[in-house]
């Protein structure tokens, strides 16, 4: 199921993030080689294998996914899984000097206070015009929360909840079902979880929950973009420049 909202135009999709990550990987290798160190490029992930945008925005909505994974995240598609495995293997093979050169003084990803990965991020952004990315993040969160309080959404949540209750499940809204701790404790997908996820998807379908919620969120987001129109124009320009910079790096590699 394809789900879109207006703010998608200003935020990289999972497929676009794969392109950005690949470009940063190339720039990291340039930086590492400058220090006489090796850096094996990761295999590219195919755009078709990227996680669909907004897949779980309204909880689990795909019958096929619910039947196999319940509320758990689906397995990575082939080229994404291959890239993740290659990244883990590369990280494990780095010696201490290479870790510090790549990741900064703390020597591990996610803690980049410097290093070639940080330099690569900054180089890719050199020609990207300034924009208020905090506004984007804040608006994404605020409009989502606002949509859940919209009268039409509250009504459809109530209808969905009644549908779930008939099957013996008690939740006020779909996100409560998605984040139920019973499904988050481990990697194993139980039959009970699959049964409930299937009921969840069917109740969303019978109540038109996804189109109703999406319509409300679209309306709220369009109003937010209009309210801050100049800032969002800059954000769109920055997004396009960022992607163009990534494609230039990859074209030269």
């Amino acid at each position: 199921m394809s789900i879109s909202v207006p703010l998608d135009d200003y935020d990289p999709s999972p497929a676009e993030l794969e392109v950005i990550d690949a470009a940063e990987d190339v720039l990291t290798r340039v930086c590492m080689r400058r220090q006489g160190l090796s850096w094996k490029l990761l295999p590219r992930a195919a755009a078709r294998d990227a996680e669909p945008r907004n897949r779980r925005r309204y909880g689990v909505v795909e019958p096929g996914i619910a039947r196999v994974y319940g509320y758990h995240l689906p397995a990575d598609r082939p080229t994404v899984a291959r890239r993740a495995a290659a990244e883990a293997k590369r990280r494990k093979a780095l010696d201490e000097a290479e870790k510090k050169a790549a990741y900064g003084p703390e020597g591990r990803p996610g803690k980049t206070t410097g290093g070639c990965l940080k330099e690569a991020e900054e180089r890719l952004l050199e020609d990207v015009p300034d924009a208020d990315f905090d506004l984007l993040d804040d608006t994404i969160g605020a409009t989502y929360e606002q949509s859940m309080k919209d009268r039409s959404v509250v009504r459809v949540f109530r209808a969905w909840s009644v549908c779930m209750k008939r099957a013996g499940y008690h939740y006020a809204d779909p996100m409560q079902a998605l984040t139920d701790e019973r499904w988050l404790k481990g990697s194993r997908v139980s039959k009970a979880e699959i049964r409930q996820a299937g009921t969840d998807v069917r109740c969303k379908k019978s109540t038109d929950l996804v189109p109703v919620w999406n319509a409300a969120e679209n309306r709220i987001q369009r109003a937010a973009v209009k309210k801050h129109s100049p800032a969002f124009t800059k954000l769109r320009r920055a997004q396009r420049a960022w992607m163009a910079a990534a494609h230039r790096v990859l074209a030269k590699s």
Side-chain angles (χ1 to χ4, degrees), residues 137-149:
D137 291 340
D138 292 345
T139 305
I140 289 170
T143 55
Y144 186 80
E145 291 296 326
Q146 189 179 345
S147 74
M148 294 183 73
K149 298 173 185 176

Side-chain angles (χ1 to χ4, degrees), residues 58-75:
Y58 306 130
V60 176
V61 298
E62 299 160 282
I65 295 297
R67 280 195 298 271
V68 178
Y69 298 102
Y71 291 103
H72 280 69
L73 288 170

Side-chain angles (χ1 to χ4, degrees), residues 12-23:
S13 68
E16 289 170 331
L17 287 173
E18 292 285 357
V19 173
I20 290 168
D21 286 346

Side-chain angles (χ1 to χ4, degrees), residues 6-230:
L7 291 180
D8 289 347
D9 290 342
Y10 311 91
D11 199 30
S13 68
E16 289 170 331
L17 287 173
E18 292 285 357
V19 173
I20 290 168
D21 286 346
E24 289 179 353
D25 201 29
V26 170
L27 293 174
T28 300
R29 182 176 66 172
V30 172
C31 175
M32 293 289 280
R33 283 181 171 178
R34 198 169 61 238
Q35 300 175 61
L37 300 169
S38 64
W39 184 257
K40 186 176 181 180
L41 291 182
L42 300 177
R44 291 280 304 276
R48 67 178 181 277
D49 282 350
E51 178 80 1
R53 192 198 280 266
N54 300 320
R55 177 175 233 168
R56 291 160 69 88
R57 190 177 199 90
Y58 306 130
V60 176
V61 298
E62 299 160 282
I65 295 297
R67 280 195 298 271
V68 178
Y69 298 102
Y71 291 103
H72 280 69
L73 288 170
D76 286 336
R77 292 173 178 175
T79 60
V80 174
R82 183 184 64 175
R83 181 180 174 85
E87 185 174 17
K89 183 178 179 180
R90 181 180 68 186
R91 189 183 309 135
K92 188 176 180 180
L94 295 176
D95 62 29
E96 288 305 312
E98 290 167 334
K99 286 179 184 177
K100 288 185 177 180
Y103 305 127
E106 299 214 17
R108 54 191 171 127
K111 297 287 184 180
T112 50
T113 56
C116 286
L117 283 173
K118 186 68 173 178
E119 180 181 310
E121 292 171 8
E122 292 172 349
R123 279 194 60 191
L124 199 60
L125 290 168
E126 279 177 357
D127 297 325
V128 175
D130 290 337
D132 192 347
F133 293 103
D134 287 339
L135 172 65
L136 175 61
D137 291 340
D138 292 345
T139 305
I140 289 170
T143 55
Y144 186 80
E145 291 296 326
Q146 189 179 345
S147 74
M148 294 183 73
K149 298 173 185 176
D150 183 88
R151 280 187 291 183
S152 65
V153 176
V154 170
R155 283 196 297 270
V156 83
F157 280 177
R158 192 177 298 122
W160 172 89
S161 184
V162 169
C163 178
M164 291 288 283
K165 190 174 182 180
R166 291 193 192 107
Y169 306 119
H170 301 272
Y171 299 99
D173 63 64
M175 303 319 288
Q176 287 186 1
L178 183 69
T179 58
D180 190 322
E181 288 187 2
R182 287 182 298 166
W183 320 133
L184 302 177
K185 287 180 179 178
S187 59
R188 182 175 173 271
V189 181
S190 68
K191 291 181 180 179
E193 178 182 349
I194 288 172
R195 281 195 301 272
Q196 181 180 303
T199 302
D200 185 347
V201 172
R202 289 191 294 274
C203 286
K204 286 189 177 87
K205 178 71 173 176
S206 67
T207 59
D208 286 331
L209 184 144
V210 172
V212 170
W213 192 353
N214 186 242
E217 197 175 12
N218 273 260
R219 174 170 40 79
I220 291 165
Q221 287 195 2
R222 282 194 297 268
V225 170
K226 185 176 180 180
K227 182 179 179 180
H228 301 283
S229 181

